[in-house]
Amino acid sequence: MGDQDDGGGGGGLTMNNLLSEVQNTLDKFKLEDDGPVNADYYSPYANLEKAAVLQEARCFHDPAAVRENPRKCCTVIAQLLHLTNTGQYLNSAEATDVFFGVTKLFMSDDASLRRMVYLFIKEVAETCNPDDVIIVTSSLTKDMTCDVDLYRANALRVLARIVDAAMLGAIERYVKQAVVDSSGQVSSAALVSATHLFEKNAESAAIVKRWISETTEATISPNEMVQFHAMQLLYQIKKSDRLGMQKLVTQFSQRNTLKSPLALVLLVRYTAKLLTDEVVEGRMTGNSFQNGSTFARSGYAFLEASLRHKSEMVVYEAAKAICALPNIEPQELTSAVNVLQQFLSSTKPTLRFASVKTISQVAASHPRLVSKCNEDLEALIADANRSIATLAITTLLKTGSENSIDRLLKQISVFLSEIPDEYKITIVRSLQRLCLTYPAKHRVLVGFLSNFLREEGGFDFKRSIVNSIVSLIKQVPETTESSLLHLCEFIEDCEFTMLSTQILHLLGELGPGTQAPARYIRFIYNRVILENSAVRAAAVAALSKFAARCPSLRTSIMTLLRRSLDDEDDETRDRASVAVSVLKDAMEEFPYVPPEEDAETEEEPKPDVPSAGDPAAFVLLQGLPMSFDRLDRSIRAYVKAPTAMESAEPLTFSALPIVEEHEEPESTTTDEIGGDAALLAAVAGEKEEKKEVVDPAAVVYAIPELASLGRVFRSSTPTALSEEETEYVVRCVKHIMPEHIILQFLIQNTVEDQRLVNCTVAVEGDSECFEVAGDVAAESIKYGETANAFTVITRNPDAALAPCNFECVLRFGVVQVDPKSGEDESDPFDEEYPLEELEISTSDFMAKVSVPDFRQAWEQVGNANEVLEKFALQFKKQDDAVAAVIDFLGMQPCDGTGHIKAGEGGKKPHMLHLSGVFVGGTNVLARAQVAASGDASGVLLKIAVRSDDPNVSRMVADCIR
């Protein structure tokens, strides 16, 4: 979006005049159904028939028609292109005839016809037979060596589309000459064609790599576009060679031979990428770029020197590159921020937008450094371009002081009513972050946000405000009561059912814990009277939670709930019935005794909480020990287990099989929402439907001999025992049982003329804990098929678990078959195929299962069986160490601790929370602190493991290696 002239006096071109001219032009070309214009109008592309166009194309073979009427030939080519672009492709015979005719058009000297010929060949070449395209190659090669620059450039571009590696070798000399041609048009065409050829296939790329000396020579061309394309091709050739790229960047940054701003922009980008790789890959020797390696110093010096270039394009690109460098020190950013500050007052909207966007990104990590731009940013709030104004406001909210908040909010309140919802959402999130920065201003900020809840706006805008308020409740507890009251007022006139139901759920969770929970009852009951069925059901559930947690309110809430027993909605009526029944029993068993009015004021009042064993608190407040998704999968696995339905054992949560969580739940960031699970689900919006999870143990239960061994505790992910490109691809899945391990080998036959029979995998290992007990062979595996073979290993439960490596050999019979008919051609003969070693580690016996509240579970387990250890890990990056610890232990990360937040790697220790269930049903929890060591030689790990079994705690701690 750019600035717009509002129009004014004078004879100059204004926006109104321009719109008027456009409308007049449209009126001239408007086709009326009954008007005379429509009767005389004829489109050359209307109702085209391929046969008629091909008949017209015969004029290509008439030399006189080609010389005297090139315009007709151009029209026919345009019609042919229209046919191919609308899906009416030429068959082989038609394409051959047309291409022969096109070669006759090269005899014409008409420039327009020649350009249409080039366009036709380039567009149609990809959809036609390559043998037909070769017909025009000789004519294009001739044009490539002629004296007309226009023909030479276009011929090069077309040849790059149709030649293969063999043909490219034949014309290589001409292309190399064109790269260094004195004509900028020809040289640019050759360089662009070389870039396309490099990406075409490996053979063509190998030929293009030989042109590096000519490409380097093209960088000194006086034509700016030639320099740009030459730099682009040099990068393509050398991008896989880090040292070569460093040498290239160093040479051009020191020679100052590049005069093209576009080429310098590329050089700045390449330098920034190499500097970023230096940091990411751990090759930086110093704490800053100015004190780093030789290349780091020279590269940063070049970027800083580019800030003084005469081209604004180069200056901005250099400033942007410096600001994007990882782990850069504030003093190294000063020069770039100063340049961006000057651009904020530019007359060009594009430059203002680019600079304020970059400054906004810098403000996220260095707000103090950007604060000196606040005066210029405040001037941009009134910018006609709303994107610029929005970025200016969000940046000010990041850099502003506590004293400037009130003044900013006054400016924003006027501005918000004039911008679309997508910009409003960005500002709301910035206000949320500001409240976390200055918690003392929470009343002002929450009040400001709640005011806009009552203004006009779409669902996404209102949802973003609710998300922000809920997040602030979690982050700043002082905002709880005022925020809940604002949300109560919002649902009084809320048109969005989803937001109403989620706010009611939040009220039911947090409202009873406030100082005066009775004040929220009126707002909730109003929803029972006035809203639709979904909101009424949510309101009944919220009232039930208030009654369960606050015995003093049960009598009055019971009166309200009884009115919903006759509700027309089944869900609302059922919820009310359950709540009334449970609360009635609880009131009879634990009647509420109000405090005496004449009681001494010095005595502390009795807390308004349910008594121990209160049935209402248990039924209405106690959550399930697992999510509904896990419960569904666990019950399905229970049913599929052998003799499960015949067992006399009652079905309890403890009797259900363990279900693993292979993906860590998404952590809730402050940018999105901090709230309960139901509200998070609402914010997530519509997600793709989950695929049904297949129980990997089903293949074990399908074989009676294996099913008799009992229920599978957990199944590992497949482990490759051979390369994907080998003749026989083998993967292994480890099915863990309390006293057995079943190794499922997935064997794929990739040899077309063979059929494998009686396939087994021989497993040998030296361990006191494990012993091979038997195997089940795969009877027959045809080409392209995958079959299962099983090996059973017995585990000694009395021996301590320790990692063990097993040597694996695939043994099978080979039957030669006819690839066409599939019939056997020989008797089977025995073969062996060595596989990679298979490791069985302690982590294989750990199921990844998360806990709802890690801190509460940690305290409940206690430190009686706690094991503390300290390790020095040989990892250069903190992220890699965190991933390795999770892999070593085989446990599930909790509370979003499985990943280090962007920008925090190495700056401070990372606390990792892990949970799991060890074979036998022992719950295990672990807390691990991962911190970078002082000498930067590795990573320090401090880990604490808790469980109900000291032996299990010790085995889990010993998994670190």
Side-chain angles (χ1 to χ4, degrees), residues 300 322-323 328-337 362 366 369:
Y300 178 79
I322 292 175
C323 294
I328 190 168
E329 297 295 326
Q331 62 270 19
E332 295 174 323
L333 278 172
T334 304
S335 55
V337 173
V362 176
H366 299 89
L369 188 63

Side-chain angles (χ1 to χ4, degrees), residues 1-44:
M1 295 174 62
D3 287 336
Q4 297 179 354
D5 190 349
D6 293 332
L13 181 64
T14 65
M15 180 59 69
N16 292 332
N17 292 339
L18 179 60
L19 291 175
S20 177
E21 290 293 331
V22 171
Q23 187 61 46
N24 291 336
T25 306
L26 290 174
D27 291 340
K28 290 179 182 178
F29 289 94
K30 186 176 180 181
L31 302 180
E32 299 294 338
D33 293 338
D34 300 325
V37 178
N38 191 33
D40 299 335
Y41 178 77
Y42 172 73
S43 171

Side-chain angles (χ1 to χ4, degrees), residues 650-816:
L651 182 58
T652 61
F653 283 108
S654 59
L656 290 175
I658 299 297
V659 176
E660 287 193 275
E661 299 174 15
H662 294 289
E663 295 182 0
E664 180 182 0
E666 295 181 5
S667 60
T668 304
T669 61
T670 56
D671 287 347
E672 296 174 354
I673 181 173
D676 49 67
L679 191 51
L680 178 60
V683 173
E686 295 182 1
K687 294 187 176 180
E688 295 183 2
E689 186 177 348
K690 291 185 178 180
K691 295 181 179 179
E692 184 177 354
V693 180
V694 179
D695 184 10
V699 293
V700 176
Y701 299 146
I703 301 174
E705 296 89 341
L706 302 179
S708 62
L709 298 177
R711 181 186 295 162
V712 174
F713 171 70
R714 70 172 296 266
S715 301
S716 69
T717 55
T719 303
L721 300 182
S722 65
E723 299 292 337
E724 291 290 336
E725 297 80 13
T726 56
E727 301 95 324
Y728 314 109
V729 180
V730 181
R731 295 177 297 157
C732 179
V733 176
K734 292 170 274 191
H735 301 281
I736 307 299
M737 295 180 174
E739 296 184 1
H740 298 87
I741 301 173
I742 298 178
L743 302 180
Q744 175 193 354
F745 296 98
L746 295 90
I747 307 170
Q748 181 183 6
N749 178 16
T750 62
V751 182
E752 189 173 5
D753 59 352
Q754 290 183 1
R755 180 170 64 88
L756 309 184
V757 296
N758 195 26
C759 301
T760 60
V761 177
V763 177
E764 294 183 3
D766 184 13
S767 172
E768 298 179 357
C769 186
F770 305 110
E771 182 181 354
V772 178
D775 56 41
V776 177
E779 295 181 358
S780 177
I781 310 176
K782 297 180 181 179
Y783 167 68
E785 292 183 350
T786 301
N788 296 318
F790 300 89
T791 298
V792 180
I793 296 178
T794 303
R795 173 194 164 210
N796 183 4
D798 297 330
L801 282 175
C804 178
N805 289 333
F806 290 86
E807 295 181 358
C808 300
V809 178
L810 176 63
R811 294 176 179 171
F812 54 95
V814 177
V815 178
Q816 296 292 335

